[in-house]
Amino acid sequence: MLKSKIAGIGAYVPEGVVTNNDLTRFMDTSDEWIQERTGIQERRYGKKFEETTSTMGLKAAEKAIANAGIDKEDIDFIIFATLSPDYYFPGCGVLLQRALGITKTEVGALDIRNQCSGFVYGLSVADQFVKTGMYKNVLLVGSEMHSMGLDFSTEGRNVTVIFGDGAGAVVVQPTEKEGQGIINTKLHSDGTYAEKLAMINPGSHGGYHAEKLEIDVDYGYSDAEFGEIFVNEHMVENGQMFPNMEGQFVFKLAVQKFPEVIMEALGDAGLSPQDIDMLVPHQANLRISKFVQKRMGLSDDKVWNNIQKYGNTTAASIPIALAEAVEKGAVKEGDLVCLAAFGSGFTWGSALIRW
Ligand code: COA
C-alpha cells in the first residue's frame, strides 16, 4: 500500500488583533485572569462582512497549494473542517471549491464537523484516500470564524475569551520515499458528554435530549407544531444560541485523553515519547499543553505552542501551529511529528508523521 505525506502547508490569520484588555470593554474579565488560566495574550478576529470561514480557508489553501508546488486543478478532493461554517448548509467545502475556481466537476468536497479534532480526523480521511490510490492531491482545510458567534457579555466570558479566528491547510499526496509520511492516525469519540461543550441551537432537537438528560432548559417552543422549532426568538433573547462549556469538566478529560491517544499512536508504531521531535497539540489552553508536555517528559523545544497569539482556533489550530513550526525550521525532514487533539463531542485523536 502507498503511504501519504503532507506535501504542502499554509496558514492565514486575519489582521485584526484583539488583546485581552480589548475584551474588558465588553465583559467583566481581565488580562491577568485570561493569561493565568489559558496563556492567551491576544487573538485575531476576521473583518466582519468581508471575511468568512471559507474566505480565510481559501487564503490558507492557496498557500498550501503553492507550497506543494501544484496547480489548483490538480486537487482531486477537498476536506473542510469547521464548527463555524458560512452557512448551516451547504458546507464550506463547496464554497472553497467555487472560490478556488476549480473547473473540474469531479472534485469531491467533504465537510467535517468534529470541532477541535476536525483537522486530525480530516488528515486521517485524506490519508486513507491517498493510501488506497484513489486520490493524489487531497486539500484539507481547517478554518474558523468564531468571532461572529460568541457571547460578548459577561455571561459568555468563560467561552469567549478563549477563541480566535484563523485558518490552516495542507495538501496530502502519496510518497514513495522510504520512511517518510503519515505513520498512523488514531481517532476516538465518546458522546456521553456531548452537551458539556456545545452549541445546541439552532438545531432539530426540539428539546429532546434535554428531556432525556433531565436538563431544565426552556427553549420556548411549547406551542410550536411547525416551524420556529429549529430557531426562534426565545432562543435569541435568552442567549441560547451561543456555545456553552463546562470548563473544568473539559479540562479534566482533555489532560487524560491527550496523553492516552499520543501513547496509543506511539505504541502502535513501536516508538516512545523520547522519539518525538515535535508535538503539535491542538491549541486548547496553554495549561493543558504544559500538562501534556510534562506527562510525556518532553522539553520545551519539542512542543509547539502559539495559543498566546491566536487563542483557540479549533479546527484551524493544528495546521496554523504546524505551518508556523515548519516555516521557522523547527520541523525538518526526517523529524517525527505528533499531532494530537481533543474537543467537543467529545472526540479526540492523534497522528504520527515522519516529515
Ligand atoms: N474572566 C474573569 N473571570 C472569569 C472568566 C473570565 N473570562 N471566565 C470565568 N470566570 C470566573 C467564573 O465566573 C468563576 O467565578 P466564581 O468563582 O465567582 O463563580 C471563576 O472565574 C472560576 O471559573 P472556572 O470556570 O471554575 O475557572 P477555571 O479555572 O476552570 O478556568 C477555563 C476556566 C475555561 C479557562 C478552564 O476551565 C479551561 O481552560 N477549561 C478547558 C477549556 C478548553 O480547553 N476548551 C476547549 C476544548 S478544545
Side-chain angles (χ1 to χ4, degrees):
M1 200 184 273
L2 291 165
K3 265 190 140 181
S4 55
K5 65 170 182 182
I6 292 179
I9 184 160
Y12 169 78
V13 288
E15 276 175 23
V17 175
V18 177
T19 65
N20 295 339
N21 279 329
D22 290 334
L23 292 176
T24 63
R25 286 175 22 221
F26 310 101
M27 61 186 78
D28 181 11
T29 190
S30 66
D31 178 47
E32 194 191 0
W33 192 97
I34 300 170
Q35 285 213 46
E36 191 187 306
R37 310 281 173 128
T38 70
I40 299 165
Q41 293 164 12
E42 58 189 40
R43 74 284 294 139
R44 303 294 180 96
Y45 284 175
K47 215 166 188 184
K48 305 286 171 294
F49 317 118
E50 282 183 31
E51 294 193 288
T52 73
T53 294
S54 73
T55 69
M56 291 191 298
L58 171 67
K59 289 192 172 147
E62 285 173 336
K63 288 186 188 175
I65 291 168
N67 186 239
I70 58 165
D71 186 84
K72 63 186 183 184
E73 293 292 337
D74 296 325
I75 300 293
D76 36 26
F77 197 72
I78 295 170
I79 304 175
F80 203 117
T82 185
L83 68 67
S84 50
D86 293 21
Y87 301 141
Y88 193 87
F89 76 84
C92 283
V94 294
L95 302 182
L96 180 63
Q97 185 267 341
R98 178 173 72 186
L100 276 169
I102 297 174
T103 55
K104 289 187 302 194
T105 51
E106 64 267 30
V107 63
L110 170 72
D111 284 80
I112 291 199
R113 299 190 53 170
N114 275 68
Q115 295 62 255
C116 300
S117 63
F119 184 81
V120 174
Y121 266 73
L123 190 65
S124 184
V125 173
D127 183 35
Q128 312 312 315
F129 276 136
V130 170
K131 276 199 303 206
T132 55
M134 185 156 172
Y135 296 127
K136 287 199 168 54
N137 287 292
V138 178
L139 174 63
L140 166 62
V141 176
S143 180
E144 305 285 359
M145 182 84 169
H146 286 306
S147 60
M148 291 284 262
L150 294 169
D151 178 359
F152 283 90
S153 74
T154 294
E155 217 170 315
R157 65 185 177 178
N158 69 321
V159 174
T160 300
V161 300
I162 293 177
F163 293 98
D165 300 343
V170 295
V171 173
V172 181
Q173 283 179 356
T175 176
E176 281 168 13
K177 196 165 179 183
E178 185 67 26
Q180 186 190 47
I182 296 174
I183 298 167
N184 63 29
T185 55
K186 302 289 171 195
L187 308 176
H188 298 284
S189 73
D190 180 356
T192 313
Y193 309 110
E195 289 79 11
K196 297 277 187 197
L197 174 50
M199 183 173 133
I200 63 170
N201 293 314
S204 56
H205 58 85
Y208 173 84
H209 302 290
E211 211 168 284
K212 297 272 176 247
L213 297 167
E214 294 178 4
I215 300 169
D216 184 22
V217 191
D218 173 14
Y219 296 106
Y221 36 50
S222 52
D223 295 331
E225 196 177 345
F226 301 109
E228 292 189 2
I229 294 174
F230 190 73
V231 57
N232 62 35
E233 275 176 21
H234 186 91
M235 291 173 190
V236 179
E237 280 162 13
N238 292 282
Q240 290 172 4
M241 294 192 56
F242 292 118
N244 66 74
M245 174 176 73
E246 278 187 38
Q248 292 197 10
F249 193 91
V250 176
F251 194 98
K252 279 181 198 150
L253 263 172
V255 295
Q256 179 192 333
K257 295 300 179 190
F258 266 104
E260 244 177 56
V261 80
I262 295 169
M263 288 307 292
E264 182 190 359
L266 288 168
D268 198 45
L271 298 165
S272 72
Q274 285 66 48
D275 294 311
I276 295 178
D277 294 302
M278 184 58 73
L279 170 66
V280 182
H282 161 54
Q283 309 286 300
N285 178 321
L286 193 60
R287 280 197 300 154
I288 293 177
S289 295
K290 291 278 177 200
F291 186 95
V292 175
Q293 174 180 347
K294 207 169 162 200
R295 278 286 296 279
M296 295 286 116
L298 298 171
S299 52
D300 286 349
D301 60 328
K302 298 206 164 172
V303 184
W304 199 263
N305 293 303
N306 65 4
I307 191 171
Q308 300 92 328
K309 292 185 289 181
Y310 304 125
N312 178 340
T313 56
T314 310
S317 93
I318 289 180
I320 291 175
L322 184 58
E324 192 178 85
V326 170
E327 197 189 337
K328 296 219 157 117
V331 169
K332 303 169 297 297
E333 198 174 322
D335 280 355
L336 183 69
V337 177
C338 181
L339 312 180
F342 172 88
S344 160
F346 293 115
T347 62
W348 59 101
S350 60
L352 268 186
I353 307 164
R354 184 65 68 186
W355 204 259

